[in-house]
């Protein structure tokens, strides 16, 4: 079977003729993997809960697929067809993916980056929701077990408290009383443990849902600019009411001057005041007057007081604990670092090298949320 025949059988669209070399190489590699599944575009899109048009664009190279999609495709090949890439081939594929992202249009990279983050946040939200449901059922079952034990204890007490003949008949059961009490006490401890876990799971689920909502809003801002030139104005504001107050502040924290210059160049002239800090202590000093800070962009890897420690100090202060923190980091995609960042108080991440469109969208959302809160006061 020729490549063209295989493409037609899978329902693939032709490769985008405008692709650069890096994007074409990645698209060709992705198409080869997809054809190994032996299913149509529409069928696989349904399996992955994707719009068929989106999947077609991934396979035509006009949109770079998120790495999470590639990983799922590799899992499907391994599970359904026992086709597994060795470590070297997988690393090469990931290198092709990064090269395609790096050389694609900036706004496309921003959409891709935000979609990848939304995919991860949605997965986390679903997992947290499933865990919440599991704990809720376990708690109900344990409480029902306690109720059943209480009933047995009440019946036993009634048997032992009746007439002498009934007491003689119940003597053989009297030893069960302490065992039932011990079992009830153990279940009560389990209820307390499950209740605590359920509270944490609900908080986790709520935070994950909030991250999904933020990312969807960020994606909307970027997609509104999908047809704009890269040098055009930043994403359109979502608040239409006039804002007579002072411009919201954005705190930029990075120990490298060149990184601060990049952030200032990307975010300058967009309706908010930029305040720069070269270290964690400098950031804390800048926040001694925390009024009108809409968001903090905080580098993770800084000498001395790193981003995690700086965030912890910010969250301990009553006047600054509600200022959202975005970690700007080269390690934000690592799940362990992400969890540590969220535990320290971060609400979002943006990876280095920073994509201007994604950064502007993230900051714009938090600036608008700040304006909305100010209007409600």
């Amino acid at each position: 079977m020729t490549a063209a025949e295989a493409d037609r059988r899978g329902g693939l669209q032709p490769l985008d003729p405008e692709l650069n070399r890096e994007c074409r190489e990645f698209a060709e590699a992705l198409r080869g993997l997809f054809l190994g599944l032996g299913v149509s575009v529409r069928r696989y899109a349904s399996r992955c809960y994707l719009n068929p048009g989106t999947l077609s664009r991934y396979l035509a190279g006009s949109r770079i697929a998120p790495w999470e999609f590639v990983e799922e495709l590799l899992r499907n090949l391994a599970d359904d067809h026992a086709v597994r890439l060795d470590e070297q081939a997988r690393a090469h594929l990931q290198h092709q993916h990064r090269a395609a992202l790096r050389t694609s249009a900036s706004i496309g990279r921003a959409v891709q980056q935000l979609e990848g983050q939304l995919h991860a946040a949605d997965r986390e939200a679903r997992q947290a929701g499933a865990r919440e449901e599991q704990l809720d059922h376990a708690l109900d079952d344990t409480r029902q077990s306690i109720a059943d034990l209480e009933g047995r204890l009440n019946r036993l007490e009634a048997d032992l408290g009746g007439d002498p003949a009934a007491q003689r008949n119940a003597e053989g059961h009297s030893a069960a009383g302490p065992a039932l009490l011990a079992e009830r006490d153990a279940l009560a401890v389990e209820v307390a443990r499950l209740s605590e876990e359920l509270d944490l799971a609900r908080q986790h689920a709520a935070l994950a849902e909030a991250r999904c909502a933020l990312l969807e809003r960020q994606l909307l801002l970027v997609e509104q600019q999908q047809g704009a030139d890269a040098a055009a104005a930043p994403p359109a504001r979502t608040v239409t009411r006039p804002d007579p107050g002072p411009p919201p502040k954005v705190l930029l924290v990075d120990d490298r001057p060149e990184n601060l210059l990049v952030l200032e160049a990307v975010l300058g002239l967009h309706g908010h005041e930029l305040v720069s800090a070269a270290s964690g202590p400098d950031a804390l000093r800048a926040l001694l007057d925390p009024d009108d800070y809409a968001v903090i962009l905080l580098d993770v890897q800084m000498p001395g007081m790193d981003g995690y420690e700086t965030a912890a100090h910010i969250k301990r202060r009553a006047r600054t604990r509600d200022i959202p923190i975005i970690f700007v980091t080269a390690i934000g995609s690592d799940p362990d670092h992400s969890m540590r960042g969220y535990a320290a108080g971060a609400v979002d991440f943006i990876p280095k090298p920073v994509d201007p469109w994604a950064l502007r969208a993230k900051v714009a959302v938090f600036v608008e949320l700040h304006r909305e809160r100010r209007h409600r006061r």
Side-chain angles (χ1 to χ4, degrees):
M1 181 185 298
T2 66
E5 289 170 338
D7 286 358
R8 285 194 296 273
R9 189 185 70 172
L12 294 178
Q13 298 298 316
L15 284 173
D16 187 333
E18 302 297 323
L19 293 179
N20 60 36
R21 179 177 59 83
E22 291 84 358
C23 292
R24 176 173 289 276
E25 287 178 355
F26 175 68
E28 288 173 345
L30 193 64
R31 290 163 80 91
L33 293 170
F34 172 77
L35 287 172
L37 292 172
V39 297
S40 68
V41 168
R42 184 171 296 279
R43 183 172 174 183
Y44 192 66
S46 175
R47 183 183 302 177
C48 298
Y49 303 101
L50 276 176
N51 182 291
T54 299
L55 179 55
S56 290
R57 286 189 287 275
Y58 288 167
L59 297 171
S62 55
R63 178 179 289 187
I64 308 301
W67 182 248
E68 290 80 7
F69 169 83
V70 181
E71 287 185 319
E72 186 172 357
L73 178 57
L74 293 176
R75 281 194 297 271
N76 291 155
L77 280 169
D79 294 343
D80 299 344
H81 300 278
V83 175
R84 292 176 173 82
L85 296 188
D86 60 30
E87 188 174 340
Q88 184 176 0
R90 185 183 179 90
H92 180 64
L93 181 63
Q94 193 161 25
H95 173 76
Q96 288 179 312
H97 179 257
R98 289 172 178 166
L101 282 177
R102 188 174 60 252
T103 59
S104 62
S106 178
I107 195 165
R109 285 206 311 274
V111 170
Q112 173 58 49
Q113 184 182 110
L114 293 172
E115 283 183 341
Q117 289 184 327
L118 179 58
H119 179 92
D122 177 66
R123 182 175 60 229
E124 184 180 349
R126 286 185 284 113
Q127 290 172 345
R131 178 61 175 161
E132 180 183 347
E133 185 176 355
Q134 180 186 31
L135 288 168
D136 204 16
H137 288 319
L139 190 57
D140 286 344
D141 290 344
T142 307
R143 284 172 172 158
Q144 183 59 51
S145 296
I146 290 177
D148 293 342
L149 281 173
E150 293 284 2
R152 291 172 63 186
L153 285 166
N154 289 337
R155 288 193 296 273
L156 184 60
E157 184 178 352
D159 289 343
L160 294 174
D163 59 63
Q167 290 181 17
R168 284 194 299 274
N169 291 334
E171 283 175 359
H173 303 287
S174 61
L180 291 175
L181 288 170
E183 186 177 353
R184 183 193 63 184
D185 292 344
L187 287 172
V189 171
E190 179 69 2
V191 164
R193 184 189 69 81
L194 288 171
S195 297
E196 185 176 347
E197 281 195 37
L198 181 58
D199 286 342
L200 290 174
R202 284 172 174 161
Q203 293 174 29
H204 188 185
L207 288 172
E209 289 292 344
R211 284 197 292 275
C212 287
L214 282 171
L215 287 162
E216 286 185 291
R217 192 164 175 175
Q218 292 163 13
L219 266 168
L220 178 62
L221 287 176
V222 172
E223 288 171 346
Q224 286 173 350
Q225 299 294 313
Q226 190 75 48
D229 184 79
R237 295 259 306 271
T238 57
V239 172
T240 57
R241 290 175 296 181
D243 184 15
K249 297 178 184 176
V250 178
L251 179 60
L252 314 176
V253 189
D254 199 302
D255 63 296
R256 299 176 68 89
E258 61 271 26
N259 290 344
L260 288 174
L261 286 173
V262 169
L263 295 177
E264 290 166 358
V266 171
L267 297 173
L269 304 177
H270 292 301
H272 34 260
E273 178 184 346
L274 302 180
V275 179
S276 296
S279 67
D282 284 352
L284 296 177
R285 281 190 286 272
L287 291 169
L288 289 174
D289 180 13
D291 290 344
D292 284 315
Y293 276 102
V295 65
I296 300 167
L297 296 177
L298 180 57
D299 183 39
V300 171
Q301 295 174 297
M302 296 187 294
M305 184 186 294
D306 66 12
Y308 299 122
E309 187 179 354
T310 304
H313 281 291
I314 292 169
K315 293 302 175 182
R316 279 198 291 267
R317 292 180 176 179
R319 296 186 66 197
T320 58
R321 65 166 59 110
D322 293 329
I323 303 174
I325 297 172
I326 301 175
F327 274 144
V328 185
T329 174
I331 56 178
S333 59
D334 185 304
D336 292 337
H337 288 290
S338 297
M339 291 306 298
R340 186 180 175 191
Y342 290 133
V347 296
D348 205 350
F349 282 88
I350 187 162
K352 293 180 179 178
V354 169
D355 182 280
W357 289 95
L359 177 62
R360 283 196 290 262
K362 288 179 181 293
V363 169
V365 166
F366 287 108
V367 166
E368 291 307 331
L369 289 172
H370 177 78
R371 285 194 170 106
E372 289 169 7
R373 286 193 297 271
R374 193 158 64 183
H375 278 298
R376 289 195 295 267
R377 290 174 188 167

